[in-house]
């Protein structure tokens, strides 16, 4: 992560993760693709007090805990909430329940997503109409069925990889873990070739 980490203030009190989720909504994991200081989306969420840094337990059987804000260091995870966490600023958030992150999204807007996915898609091109276009296709000579060499599969460029990673991040935010895993495996397969 970044070499210049902000100093985490010593938490003045504690709050339960359940209370935070009840008041601020179900969190989503923010996938770090660039340094936190260069991530515009994360900086905007930080400004609006919607980010919690989850710090791992350091010793023994201690439990993970969260702090409101962005504190980049090794091993932390950023959770993004739907509403401001200002009421919990300066407190140590205990009882982190990671199963909340894996639950299906709730709410009317999210519930209609599967219904939209099941709708038939429009054809991308209209069928050729009878006339000049149809006769032009019929007059084209047929290709010979001779031997063809397959096109080589090129490894993806840096721009393509970044685009794929943004798409994977969107899938993760929407809770579509299986689709994200499939795209990661596909991308890794393309990078091996």
């Amino acid at each position: 992560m970044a070499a210049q980490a902000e100093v985490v203030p010593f938490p003045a009190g504690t709050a339960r993760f359940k209370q935070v989720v009840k008041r601020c909504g179900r969190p989503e994991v923010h996938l770090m693709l660039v340094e936190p200081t260069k991530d515009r989306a994360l900086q905007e969420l930080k400004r609006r007090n919607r980010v919690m840094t989850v710090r791992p337990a350091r010793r023994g059987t201690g439990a993970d805990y969260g702090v409101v804000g962005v504190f980049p260091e090794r091993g932390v995870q950023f959770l993004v909430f739907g509403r401001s966490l200002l009421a919990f600023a300066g407190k140590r958030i205990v009882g982190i329940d990671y199963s909340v992150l894996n639950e299906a999204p709730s709410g009317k807007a999210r519930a209609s997503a599967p219904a939209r996915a099941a709708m038939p898609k429009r054809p991308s091109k209209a069928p050729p109409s009878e006339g000049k276009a149809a006769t032009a296709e019929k007059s084209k000579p047929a290709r010979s069925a001779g031997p063809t060499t397959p096109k080589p599969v090129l490894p993806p460029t840096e721009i393509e990889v970044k685009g794929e990673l943004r798409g994977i991040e969107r899938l993760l935010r929407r809770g579509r873990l299986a689709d994200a895993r499939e795209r990661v495996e596909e991308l890794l397969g393309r990078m091996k070739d």
Side-chain angles (χ1 to χ4, degrees), residues 24-37:
C24 302
R26 191 175 72 87
E28 294 180 356
V29 177
H30 182 78
L31 182 63
M32 291 303 303
L33 301 176
V34 295
E35 285 186 38
T37 56

Side-chain angles (χ1 to χ4, degrees), residues 73 99 133:
E73 62 183 54
S99 66

Side-chain angles (χ1 to χ4, degrees), residues 148-165:
T148 59
T149 58
K151 291 184 180 180
V153 177
L154 299 175
T157 64
E158 183 179 350
I159 294 171
E160 290 173 331
V161 170
K162 287 181 180 178
E164 283 292 320
L165 289 174

